[in-house]
Amino acid sequence: MDDSEPRAEGPPPEAFAGLFRVAEVTVDDGQLRYYGEPLVSGERLERRLWPVFRDRGYEVRLTNEPRRDPLTGVETGGRRYVLVATPRSTGIDGIPWTNLLFAALTVLSTLVAGSRWYGADLSDPTNLLAGWPFALAVLSVLGVHELGHYALSRYHGVDASLPYFIPLPNVIGTMGAVIRMRGRMPDRKSLFDIGVAGPLAGLVATCVVTVVGLYLDPVPEPAIPITFNYPPLVQILADLTGQPLTYSGGEVVNPVVFAGWVGMFVTFLNLIPVGQLDGGHLVRAMVGKRHETVGALVPAALFGLAAYLYYVREAAFNAVFLWVLWGVFTLGFAYAGPATPIYEDGLDAKRTALGIVTFGLGALCFTPVPFELVMP
């Protein structure tokens, strides 16, 4: 429907004086749309109006859209500017059925994967529960990572969804977990805090899971055609606990250790410093708009790693393909760019130091050839 004025809790057009000349206001399903002409740059406009809308409970963005005939809706040529104000919410609206459904499916898929690692005979459905230690460990490291992001999003008043777990019938039973960031980042400090919380929280959970797994009994080597190489952090934890990573007699470490490996692999990938990955958020917060230089170098570095593995190390094809694939992914991430904060105030020294430490911890989760396919 069309209204001459926004609903009562929306900012009146007079609040935009000298910033945006309002010609028309519409209200559609709670979303306010102010059509008109900006009188200042888009960046300055959003920076000035963001707190005005936020105080009224809205997120605002400046965009433009095709001009349309008001009666037929047919495009008439040209474009017009519009301030789109969407109600913001940092709470949980009702029961998150989609999140719960995906979580239940991921529990099932990780139980199947875990049962295979423990060598259970799945022709008997009751043996599915044999995989519960692995499933619990994997879901813990992934869930804690995403809940770290969610908790800091709530702290900074940024609208974010609960975690979505992604089930997948592979050797770990999942493609990971994600949250949707629906709100704007107020400043570089909040962008950094939200970005760093996931990797650090996830690494704590990963280290706990790995240490627990090292103390659990080894299992017979499963009939799964894949082997995993340990990153330095696993080696460090094994040395600190005095527990072995290899066994004789056809046994291997408990699959819970492999769940820790999953957490470390996910942490490293998330800390690649480009785009909407956690590492991209950290670099954007730490160096500001100079992040574009870093983002441009990342795909080249990954393609270079793939070339090194192929020509120098003569590594297996799967390792070369993995980093070529991530090189392509990061090209897309770099093009999309990271989240853009409203205010560009720099970070304090403590956060900058924490960011450097976080990238250092991520490096300990890296191994050039994470896994190898075992050919029959």
Side-chain angles (χ1 to χ4, degrees):
M1 67 177 180
D2 293 343
D3 296 320
S4 59
E5 293 288 338
R7 60 187 196 177
E9 61 266 31
E14 293 76 19
F16 315 151
L19 299 171
F20 190 84
R21 184 182 297 114
V22 179
E24 178 188 3
V25 182
T26 67
V27 182
D28 184 16
D29 195 24
Q31 186 181 76
L32 310 181
R33 303 174 72 84
Y34 297 80
Y35 295 92
E37 189 70 25
L39 304 177
V40 296
S41 69
E43 184 176 328
R44 183 183 177 192
L45 178 65
E46 287 191 338
R47 190 166 59 244
R48 292 283 298 276
L49 291 185
W50 184 78
V52 175
F53 280 90
R54 190 177 175 88
D55 290 344
R56 300 292 186 106
Y58 289 91
E59 293 282 354
V60 65
R61 289 182 182 274
L62 175 67
T63 184
N64 62 71
E65 59 184 37
R67 294 183 182 274
R68 299 179 182 275
D69 183 278
L71 296 178
T72 65
V74 176
E75 294 185 15
T76 58
R79 305 185 71 85
R80 59 178 178 171
Y81 287 98
V82 55
L83 285 170
V84 181
T86 306
R88 60 183 291 270
S89 172
T90 56
I92 301 173
D93 185 15
I95 300 175
W97 292 113
T98 303
N99 302 76
L100 293 175
L101 174 62
F102 274 77
L105 291 174
T106 309
V107 168
L108 179 62
S109 61
T110 52
L111 280 173
V112 171
S115 298
R116 293 183 65 198
W117 282 104
Y118 284 103
D121 180 8
L122 292 181
S123 62
D124 181 356
T126 60
N127 289 336
L128 189 66
L129 294 178
W132 76 263
F134 174 82
L136 177 62
V138 167
L139 294 176
S140 294
V141 298
L142 297 177
V144 169
H145 180 117
E146 297 304 330
L147 287 174
H149 291 311
Y150 180 77
L152 267 294
S153 297
R154 293 290 301 270
Y155 176 79
H156 285 287
V158 175
D159 188 10
S161 73
L162 287 169
Y164 291 89
F165 288 92
I166 306 173
L168 189 71
N170 58 9
V171 294
I172 62 175
T174 178
M175 269 190 67
V178 297
I179 66 170
R180 291 174 53 212
M181 303 298 299
R182 296 182 288 242
R184 299 293 300 275
M185 292 291 173
D187 48 37
R188 283 162 62 178
K189 180 179 73 173
S190 59
L191 178 60
F192 177 87
D193 291 351
I194 294 170
V196 82
L200 291 183
L203 267 178
V204 170
T206 294
C207 289
V208 170
V209 161
T210 303
V211 170
V212 170
L214 287 169
Y215 280 102
L216 294 177
D217 292 335
V219 299
E221 186 170 359
I224 297 177
I226 190 170
T227 59
F228 295 89
N229 298 317
Y230 298 121
L233 186 54
V234 172
Q235 303 282 351
I236 291 170
L237 293 174
D239 291 341
L240 290 175
T241 58
Q243 298 299 311
L245 286 171
T246 58
Y247 292 86
S248 59
E251 291 184 319
V252 295
V253 293
N254 194 282
V256 172
V257 176
F258 171 51
W261 179 97
V262 171
M264 295 179 197
F265 186 57
V266 168
T267 296
F268 172 76
L269 293 180
N270 269 291
L271 283 175
I272 294 175
V274 65
Q276 295 285 331
L277 295 174
D278 296 341
H281 292 323
L282 296 189
V283 168
R284 178 64 177 84
M286 293 168 68
V287 304
K289 296 181 179 180
R290 290 174 293 173
H291 73 91
E292 294 179 356
T293 301
V294 178
L297 294 174
V298 169
L302 292 174
F303 289 134
L305 173 61
Y308 165 76
L309 292 176
Y310 182 77
Y311 290 107
V312 179
R313 289 274 300 270
E314 297 183 354
F317 172 77
N318 64 275
V320 176
F321 177 75
L322 171 69
W323 299 122
V324 169
L325 183 64
W326 271 91
V328 174
F329 285 161
T330 54
L331 280 173
F333 293 149
Y335 178 79
T340 302
I342 300 295
Y343 302 109
E344 288 287 351
D345 297 339
L347 289 186
D348 55 88
K350 290 182 179 178
R351 282 185 170 84
T352 300
L354 179 59
I356 294 172
V357 169
T358 302
F359 280 118
L361 292 172
L364 293 178
C365 297
F366 169 72
T367 181
V369 183
F371 55 86
E372 299 176 78
L373 300 178
V374 179
M375 304 306 294

